[in-house]
Amino acid sequence: MASIWLVFVLWIYVNDMIKVNQASSCAKIHTPATKVLAGSPVSVSCSIEDDCLLTKGKNFHVAWKINNHFAPSNLSYQQSNRTYGVIIPSLPVADSFIACAVCEELLENCQIVNGVIVKVGKPPSIPKNLRFSLNLTYPRRFMCQWDPVQEMPNLQTTYTLNIFRPEDDQYDQYVIPSINHFYPIPVEYYGLYSEMEINVTAMNVFGNTTSETLKLKPMDTAMFNPPEIKNIEADVVGCLNYSWGIESLGWLMESLCVELRVKTVNNQLIKDLVLPCKQQDKINVCDLSHGTIYITTMRVKYSASSKWSKWSEWSDLKKATTLMKAPTGSLDTWLKVNDQTAQLYWKPSEDFSANGWNLSYTVESKQLKTTLCFTRKNHCFFNLNKLVQEVYLRATSAMGSSNHTKVRVYRERGLGSVSNFSVHPQSETSVRITWGRPVSPRVTGYVLEWRLLCETPEALLSFTLMDKNNFSNTVTGLRPYKPYEISIYPKYVDGIGHPQTLMAYSSQKAPSVAPYLNVTEISHSYIKLHWDEIPLEQRNGIIQGYTIFFWNERDKIKVITTEQTSIEVRDLQPLTTYHALLTVHTMGGSLNGSFVTLATGKIDGIEMVLFIIPACIGLSLLVIIVVFACVGKNERVKMCLWPIIPDPANSSIKGWTDSDSSQGMPHFKEDMEPVLAYLSDFSLIDLAENAPFKSDYVKENQWSHNIDSHDESHRSFQTRVIYDTEHDKDSIPYATVVFGGPYQNHSSSPPAYVRSESTQPLLRPDDPGSPPPYENLLPSTSVSQVQHFTALAQKFTESEENEELWDDFPMLRSLEIRNTDHI
């Protein structure tokens, strides 16, 4: 099977080779240029040979392909019998393959017979930034440089340097490889002061471009080494003489321009002199301060007018001091008096000139004719007699002393202060200070003072004096992230006003360190936390406050914001682990502090006692109050809580009276069912009977309401139940008798009888120990008074069928009044 596949593949390969050989000998292709500019049209022609096997005896036509894609048919044409051509307006890519194909039918079964590769491109870009530099040190070089152009892939670009000298009409060209973008011109052939015209040409197969032409002298582009200040002399007051030179280029010094920069030792620029060219080797600079140390540096260039001439690097610094003389001018002073102690500060005023160095200062009192202070600093502290009204300050050097500066002593202090005093940062090293006019119109000026707070030893005080119409000032030269104490004093005719003081920062950021959380007290329900304040030098701003994040695994995070350095967290759960995180804030940022984990304790014995004792006392007070209330309402409370249930075995009906109260029974609402009285023994007593009872305890129950006695239909009975107290515990209700009198006006009719829930067997008249049978009374009143009792019996006697009911209640049977005539 494998041999069959191999034979098949070989057959295909041989067949293709035959077709290629036939096609390669079928046509010749021609184009005027194989390299064309981008956007230019391309013309290609194809001539079909007479012996081409693809066309013999066949109808065919020629088609064109560009990069294996058929070209539009309207671009092709037929030049002669067997010559065909195509004109392509523009090619899309840099390299394009244009092929001639013979087709038997339309665009099917086409065979490429020949082809050509046409390259498309453009000339290089124009060289830019052409520059020159002349190095006069040995060996001398005149270097020409430019920026490289953007080259096409696989396309080489060459450069040509063109130099034309108009003086002798000389034109030179230097061909430069494409990898180089500079060329050292042999300066000895052209001279240093000859005018030249120079440009650069870039070239490739598609064309060339030329840079702009520059006109210059080689010397204009000379780059010199820094000059050397050899010597400085102070031979005249206020003047310095400089001697300078350039190594190995002494012949050029008279042609060079010089720039001289003079500064004081505190980096204050005094003079920046650009001296005219063609200077001598000595330069004289005057109008300098007396006895002042100056730092000088210099640099040179060839021409002041040529744009090609460049300054050299600055020379090394040199120090020199002008001649001294006595100080001149006055000093600005600020005197602060506290009782007999004085603090005097001073600084140079605008018209003061030291004219030397190593100045000393003397504070004197002409009244006391004594020297109060002598120092080399800019401040002095001394004791001041109350009689002294003025002191005098003078500066002294080796050449003499300045005039005295009078300082008035203001002893009255605490006058009105300024209003609306505020400080606003303006930059990292400056602040803007504003204030309002005091109430008093006698203000003569203001003193603004400031000092750094976090230096050890204490920083010196700085101050400035301002007139009365000035209400703002900008203080510069401050250190960022450092605290300053700034005060403003109003000056009056006869004293100094009360100061307004603020602490301010020119710029702020987050503190450098954060405080550490300390647990000062911990309990089962609260925690007290404390932290120390951040040191002043590490705050980096004004502390705006602290934020404490407090949480455990179950509760939400509790966020506490405070400006204090301690907090107390309450309402915690005992035996619970909590976490706390402290964050400190300034206007410039925040910093997370310490993170602590802590656990609450359990309730100890003392805390338990302290909790239980008040609870017991409160409960005891409540019990006492309830007892007293019950004692005060003994009968009512007792009947509400323990209603009396008569003992059927030891009870009897004593009598009915209208005056007996309902004492001993609870009150009921009108919509409740009638009260059921549980009786075991009844006896009808004559109302006129006044015999005393022998019972140990008598309880009265009122079973009727106040009903009009004249209405016989609503007459009621009242009963008095008597039972022995010794049988209370064992007494059991026997039967329930419903009295109809008091409830006849009720909307619901009373039940015929209510069966008792007692388990005691019914008492029979013949049972031993049973109470004597009930008997009817013969009251002095009419029989209608007891009709309420007979009504129930009459209801049951209306039919013989009710006879069975009396068998269930033998005691009620005894109550039946059968013969009213007997009464």
Side-chain angles (χ1 to χ4, degrees):
M1 185 67 181
S3 59
I4 296 175
W5 277 105
L6 179 60
V7 171
F8 179 73
V9 171
L10 289 176
W11 178 82
I12 293 176
Y13 176 74
V14 171
N15 188 40
D16 289 340
M17 290 300 297
I18 293 173
K19 289 184 178 181
V20 169
N21 290 332
Q22 291 177 351
S24 62
S25 61
C26 278
K28 293 180 180 181
I29 197 165
H30 172 74
T31 181
T34 57
K35 298 179 180 63
V36 296
L37 292 175
S40 300
V42 178
S43 176
V44 182
S45 62
C46 179
S47 299
I48 306 298
E49 299 292 340
D50 295 334
D51 56 350
C52 179
L53 299 178
L54 298 175
T55 60
K56 275 188 178 181
K58 298 179 181 178
N59 293 326
F60 70 93
H61 68 276
V62 174
W64 295 90
K65 282 188 174 183
I66 303 173
N67 295 329
N68 207 27
H69 296 284
F70 286 102
S73 59
N74 58 348
L75 300 180
S76 60
Y77 62 94
Q78 186 173 356
Q79 295 180 350
S80 61
N81 186 22
R82 300 182 68 87
T83 301
Y84 302 87
V86 64
I87 298 177
I88 304 171
S90 63
L91 293 175
V93 294
D95 293 341
S96 299
F97 178 69
I98 304 174
C100 175
V102 174
C103 302
E104 296 181 2
E105 299 178 359
L106 295 178
L107 296 180
E108 297 179 0
N109 196 14
C110 294
Q111 182 69 40
I112 295 176
V113 294
N114 211 337
V116 64
I117 296 176
V118 178
K119 293 182 177 295
V120 181
K122 58 183 178 179
S125 58
I126 299 175
K128 296 180 180 180
N129 196 18
L130 190 62
R131 55 197 180 275
F132 303 91
S133 62
L134 175 63
N135 188 1
L136 294 175
T137 59
Y138 185 81
R140 296 175 182 173
R141 292 180 301 173
F142 184 39
M143 185 66 67
C144 179
Q145 294 177 289
W146 60 91
D147 293 340
V149 299
Q150 186 177 1
E151 298 180 352
M152 297 181 61
N154 303 321
L155 193 61
Q156 185 177 7
T157 301
T158 58
Y159 299 96
T160 301
L161 181 62
N162 307 305
I163 301 176
F164 175 72
R165 191 167 61 178
E167 293 180 0
D168 53 6
D169 199 21
Q170 181 180 350
Y171 184 80
D172 297 320
Q173 285 187 331
Y174 300 92
V175 179
I176 304 165
S178 59
I179 60 175
N180 295 334
H181 311 106
F182 60 89
Y183 188 79
I185 300 173
V187 69
E188 59 271 11
Y189 296 157
Y190 301 98
L192 298 177
Y193 303 97
S194 299
E195 189 176 75
M196 305 169 63
E197 297 179 2
I198 305 174
N199 59 45
V200 175
T201 301
M203 183 183 302
N204 61 17
V205 296
F206 297 104
N208 58 75
T209 56
T210 302
S211 68
E212 61 175 334
T213 301
L214 303 180
K215 295 181 180 181
L216 52 85
K217 294 177 183 180
M219 198 63 190
D220 291 342
T221 63
M223 191 69 181
F224 299 98
N225 291 331
E228 179 185 1
I229 301 176
K230 296 180 178 180
N231 188 29
I232 304 176
E233 295 180 356
D235 52 357
V236 180
V237 175
C239 294
L240 293 175
N241 291 325
Y242 296 88
S243 298
W244 65 282
I246 299 178
E247 185 180 358
S248 71
L249 293 177
W251 53 276
L252 277 176
M253 289 180 56
E254 295 182 358
S255 303
L256 299 180
C257 299
V258 178
E259 181 178 1
L260 200 67
R261 180 167 290 178
V262 182
K263 295 183 178 181
T264 59
V265 290
N266 60 357
N267 205 31
Q268 181 180 1
L269 180 63
I270 300 300
K271 289 184 180 295
D272 197 355
L273 305 176
V274 178
L275 305 177
C277 297
K278 298 185 179 181
Q279 290 292 317
Q280 301 294 328
D281 57 348
K282 289 188 177 182
I283 300 175
N284 189 22
V285 180
C286 291
D287 297 330
L288 301 177
S289 299
H290 304 81
T292 305
I293 300 175
Y294 290 97
I295 301 174
T296 307
T297 183
M298 63 185 304
R299 62 181 181 175
V300 297
K301 70 176 181 177
Y302 176 73
S303 174
S305 59
S306 177
K307 67 177 182 178
W308 305 107
S309 187
K310 304 298 182 183
W311 287 105
S312 68
E313 297 294 333
W314 289 100
S315 67
D316 295 335
L317 298 176
K318 289 290 184 179
K319 289 184 180 181
T321 305
T322 57
L323 296 178
M324 293 190 300
K325 69 175 184 179
T328 57
S330 61
L331 297 167
D332 289 339
T333 60
W334 169 227
L335 178 62
K336 303 174 71 174
V337 180
N338 184 10
D339 197 9
Q340 295 185 1
T341 302
Q343 301 177 14
L344 180 61
Y345 301 88
W346 59 85
K347 67 177 183 177
S349 63
E350 294 181 357
D351 62 344
F352 180 81
S353 179
N355 298 329
W357 59 92
N358 296 330
L359 296 182
S360 61
Y361 301 91
T362 304
V363 181
E364 301 172 324
S365 172
K366 291 184 178 181
Q367 291 176 287
L368 302 178
K369 297 180 180 180
T370 182
T371 299
L372 301 176
C373 182
F374 178 81
T375 182
R376 293 186 180 276
K377 300 178 180 179
N378 62 350
H379 64 279
C380 184
F381 303 157
F382 51 88
N383 293 327
L384 191 62
N385 193 293
K386 292 184 178 180
L387 300 177
V388 177
Q389 301 297 324
E390 295 174 347
V391 296
Y392 295 89
L393 174 67
R394 59 186 173 90
T396 304
S397 69
M399 304 303 294
S401 298
S402 67
N403 296 328
H404 285 87
T405 300
K406 184 173 68 172
V407 183
R408 183 178 175 183
V409 178
Y410 293 98
R411 295 189 180 276
E412 185 176 354
R413 305 183 66 84
L415 301 177
S417 62
V418 302
S419 60
N420 301 326
F421 180 52
S422 61
V423 181
H424 306 280
Q426 193 170 31
S427 68
E428 287 193 355
T429 58
S430 64
V431 293
R432 182 72 174 174
I433 305 169
T434 60
W435 62 90
R437 184 192 298 272
V439 177
S440 176
R442 304 177 61 190
V443 175
T444 60
Y446 302 96
V447 180
L448 181 66
E449 67 174 29
W450 65 93
R451 67 184 180 91
L452 187 62
L453 291 178
C454 58
E455 274 196 354
T456 305
E458 186 176 346
L460 297 179
L461 184 69
S462 300
F463 72 96
T464 184
L465 304 178
M466 292 164 291
D467 60 41
K468 64 179 181 179
N469 296 320
N470 198 346
F471 302 105
S472 64
N473 189 53
T474 300
V475 177
T476 60
L478 304 182
R479 296 168 59 183
Y481 318 124
K482 297 298 181 182
Y484 285 84
E485 184 181 70
I486 302 176
S487 302
I488 183 73
Y489 293 80
K491 295 176 67 176
Y492 294 90
V493 176
D494 52 355
I496 303 296
H498 188 76
Q500 292 285 347
T501 303
L502 290 175
M503 186 179 70
Y505 289 78
S506 60
S507 59
Q508 301 185 44
K509 64 178 182 179
S512 301
V513 297
Y516 182 77
L517 271 176
N518 297 309
V519 181
T520 58
E521 186 178 350
I522 185 168
S523 177
H524 68 280
S525 62
Y526 70 91
I527 292 176
K528 292 183 179 180
L529 301 174
H530 175 78
W531 57 92
D532 297 328
E533 290 187 351
I534 302 174
L536 191 60
E537 62 273 9
Q538 295 178 322
R539 293 181 186 178
N540 300 331
I542 299 176
I543 300 298
Q544 301 295 312
Y546 305 90
T547 301
I548 298 91
F549 301 92
F550 201 84
W551 76 95
N552 63 9
E553 285 75 8
R554 297 186 300 272
D555 295 341
K556 294 182 179 179
I557 297 178
K558 182 183 295 184
V559 180
I560 305 172
T561 302
T562 180
E563 295 181 0
Q564 307 298 323
T565 56
S566 62
I567 62 167
E568 181 176 346
V569 185
R570 290 193 168 272
D571 299 329
L572 304 182
Q573 299 178 1
L575 298 176
T576 304
T577 301
Y578 288 91
H579 308 283
L581 173 64
L582 175 64
T583 302
V584 59
H585 311 278
T586 66
M587 292 293 292
S590 302
L591 179 67
N592 289 335
S594 58
F595 175 83
V596 296
T597 300
L598 36 88
T600 54
K602 63 180 180 180
I603 303 177
D604 55 12
I606 297 177
E607 292 179 344
M608 185 67 72
V609 170
L610 294 177
F611 173 76
I612 292 176
I613 289 178
C616 293
I617 293 174
L619 183 60
S620 301
L621 291 176
L622 180 61
V623 171
I624 292 173
I625 292 172
V626 172
V627 169
F628 276 104
C630 292
V631 169
K633 303 292 183 178
N634 183 25
E635 295 300 327
R636 180 177 297 177
V637 173
K638 181 181 295 185
M639 295 311 300
C640 289
L641 298 179
W642 304 285
I644 295 176
I645 302 175
D647 185 2
N650 298 281
S651 300
S652 63
I653 297 177
K654 178 182 178 182
W656 294 266
T657 63
D658 294 333
S659 60
D660 292 341
S661 65
S662 60
Q663 180 181 3
M665 293 303 294
H667 295 281
F668 296 91
K669 297 182 180 180
E670 294 181 358
D671 57 349
M672 296 180 61
E673 295 181 4
V675 178
L676 305 179
Y678 296 87
L679 303 177
S680 298
D681 184 28
F682 293 89
S683 63
L684 300 179
I685 308 295
D686 189 358
L687 295 177
E689 185 179 357
N690 296 322
F693 292 93
K694 305 297 182 180
S695 302
D696 296 333
Y697 178 78
V698 176
K699 190 69 178 181
E700 295 180 1
N701 289 338
Q702 183 174 348
W703 295 82
S704 63
H705 298 283
N706 293 327
I707 305 174
D708 188 3
S709 59
H710 296 285
D711 189 359
E712 295 183 357
S713 62
H714 294 281
R715 291 178 183 177
S716 61
F717 286 91
Q718 293 185 349
T719 179
R720 181 171 296 174
V721 183
I722 306 171
Y723 55 92
D724 296 332
T725 56
E726 60 184 0
H727 301 289
D728 288 347
K729 296 181 181 179
D730 299 329
S731 63
I732 299 174
Y734 181 71
T736 301
V737 177
V738 179
F739 292 87
Y743 304 99
Q744 286 180 354
N745 56 350
H746 198 275
S747 60
S748 59
S749 59
Y753 63 89
V754 178
R755 190 180 284 276
S756 173
E757 295 178 357
S758 172
T759 57
Q760 179 178 349
L762 298 175
L763 298 177
R764 299 287 185 180
D766 54 350
D767 288 344
S770 61
Y774 302 105
E775 57 185 34
N776 297 328
L777 298 179
L778 184 61
S780 59
T781 58
S782 62
V783 181
S784 60
Q785 295 178 351
V786 296
Q787 288 180 355
H788 296 287
F789 284 95
T790 60
L792 181 62
Q794 291 174 1
K795 185 176 181 180
F796 288 99
T797 57
E798 291 178 358
S799 175
E800 294 180 357
E801 295 177 359
N802 294 333
E803 216 36 51
E804 297 177 358
L805 296 176
W806 293 109
D807 296 334
D808 295 334
F809 298 93
M811 293 182 66
L812 294 179
R813 186 183 187 91
S814 300
L815 291 176
E816 181 180 6
I817 301 176
R818 300 182 179 272
N819 188 5
T820 58
D821 296 335
H822 178 74
I823 297 176

